[in-house]
């Protein structure tokens, strides 16, 4: 069931989204060669605490997970696509890092992700991240009243595929509101004009995931959370929480 949010509720979600944006900005600033993923998680925790927010990630345990998630960020490095658990791993020159973060504030959730490089960037990584951001922008551009979920999926997939990148099947965006994950699901590839109609008050987390090799294969690490490319190629993941309004898409996690 999809809950349509009131304009006042969207404003409240914007406040939660701004906390997420602040956390991601702080993590990105702290992410230097030699810094551990656990230290980045602590940076995000400090932002959440300072804002009086809590984490929808911490302790989250969906049906596929063998254990509750132990952190407030997902930290996925190089060939990790999403859901990476922060560890003592220390960032190295040239790493490609994806950070996903959420916040709950006043009963509403926000969710966003960024990808970036540490130290000297590989040109291929820069292109991958730039394409992921273009795919996200295309998906947001299609998130308008009168379109359908399939239009968002088609916009994202067209950018990814035309650039020669892979897309992990079965993973994509979702509705968001009082909980981090709500209906509907928002695939990263699909047919235009299909799926649920988009209405004023729907709020979606739109999140392209791109695999550099152009292949779609992935697998889960033994931790049951981290998803990695099958061929060891690098991946990028970006995300915004977006409200669909009569005035156009409103990015609630804008940084």
């Amino acid at each position: 069931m999809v809950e349509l949010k009131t304009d006042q509720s969207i404003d409240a979600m914007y406040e939660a989204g701004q906390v997420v944006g602040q956390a991601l900005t702080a993590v990105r600033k702290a992410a230097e060669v030699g810094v551990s993923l656990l230290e980045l998680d602590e940076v995000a925790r400090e932002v959440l605490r300072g804002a009086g927010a809590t984490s929808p990630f911490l302790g989250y345990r969906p049906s596929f997970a063998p254990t509750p998630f132990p952190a407030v960020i997902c930290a996925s490095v190089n060939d990790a696509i999403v859901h990476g658990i922060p560890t003592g791993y220390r960032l190295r020159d040239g790493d490609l890092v994806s950070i996903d973060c959420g916040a709950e504030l006043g009963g509403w959730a926000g969710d966003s992700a960024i990808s970036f490089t540490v130290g000297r960037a590989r040109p291929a990584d820069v292109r991958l991240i730039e394409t992921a951001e273009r795919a996200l922008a295309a998906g947001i551009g299609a998130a308008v009243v009168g379109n359908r979920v399939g239009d968002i999926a088609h916009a994202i997939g067209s950018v990814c595929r035309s650039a020669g990148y892979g897309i992990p099947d079965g993973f994509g965006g979702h509705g968001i509101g009082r909980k981090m994950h709500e209906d509907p699901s928002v695939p990263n590839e699909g047919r235009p004009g299909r799926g649920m109609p988009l209405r004023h008050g729907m709020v979606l987390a739109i999140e392209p995931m791109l695999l550099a090799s152009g292949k779609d294969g992935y697998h889960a690490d033994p931790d049951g959370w981290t998803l990695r490319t099958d061929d060891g190629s690098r991946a990028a993941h970006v995300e915004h929480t977006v409200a669909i309004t009569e005035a156009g898409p409103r990015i609630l996690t804008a940084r």
Side-chain angles (χ1 to χ4, degrees):
M1 179 179 176
V2 175
E3 177 190 7
L4 298 179
K5 280 71 176 179
T6 65
D7 292 345
Q8 292 76 16
S9 295
I10 291 173
D11 287 342
M13 291 190 69
Y14 176 81
E15 297 302 320
Q18 290 308 288
V19 176
V20 178
Q22 292 162 15
L24 288 174
T25 298
V27 168
R28 175 67 184 90
K29 183 177 180 180
E32 299 179 348
V33 173
V35 174
S36 76
L37 301 182
L38 282 172
E39 289 169 337
L40 295 183
D41 185 68
E42 183 55 36
V43 169
R45 288 176 188 251
E46 284 289 339
V47 174
L48 295 182
R49 281 194 290 264
T54 58
S55 171
F57 289 18
L58 185 63
Y60 180 59
R61 188 178 184 182
S63 59
F64 67 80
T67 58
F69 196 76
V72 305
I73 62 170
C74 296
S76 306
V77 180
N78 296 332
D79 64 330
I81 307 166
V82 288
H83 302 161
I85 295 176
T87 65
Y89 175 85
R90 295 191 177 275
L91 295 174
R92 301 172 183 173
D93 188 43
D95 276 346
L96 192 167
V97 183
S98 297
I99 301 292
D100 193 354
C101 184
E104 291 181 339
L105 184 69
W108 297 98
D111 189 8
S112 186
I114 56 174
S115 286
F116 55 87
T117 56
V118 176
R120 292 168 293 184
R122 300 181 184 183
D125 290 344
V126 174
R127 290 194 297 272
L128 179 66
I129 294 168
E130 288 177 344
T131 304
E133 291 172 345
R134 285 196 295 110
L136 176 58
I140 292 171
V144 297
V145 173
N147 271 0
R148 291 176 176 266
V149 168
D151 293 303
I152 299 175
H154 178 72
I156 294 170
S158 295
V159 172
C160 298
R161 294 299 189 190
S162 65
Y165 295 125
I167 301 171
D169 183 49
F171 286 87
H174 49 87
I176 183 171
R178 300 180 191 277
K179 297 185 295 183
M180 180 171 59
H181 290 125
E182 297 182 353
D183 290 333
S185 62
V186 185
N188 285 327
E189 192 168 32
R191 297 176 63 182
R194 299 295 184 91
M196 180 176 292
L198 304 180
R199 300 169 59 189
H200 180 91
M202 291 177 68
V203 182
L204 307 174
I206 300 174
E207 50 180 320
M209 305 167 194
L210 281 64
L211 313 188
S213 68
K215 299 179 180 178
D216 298 347
Y218 64 90
H219 62 275
D221 270 2
D223 64 24
W225 279 100
T226 309
L227 299 185
R228 295 189 185 275
T229 60
D230 278 347
D231 56 10
S233 63
R234 295 191 169 200
H237 171 218
V238 293
E239 176 184 19
H240 270 309
T241 296
V242 180
I244 297 166
T245 78
E246 294 289 353
R250 180 183 178 188
I251 302 174
L252 304 183
T253 47
R255 294 177 289 277

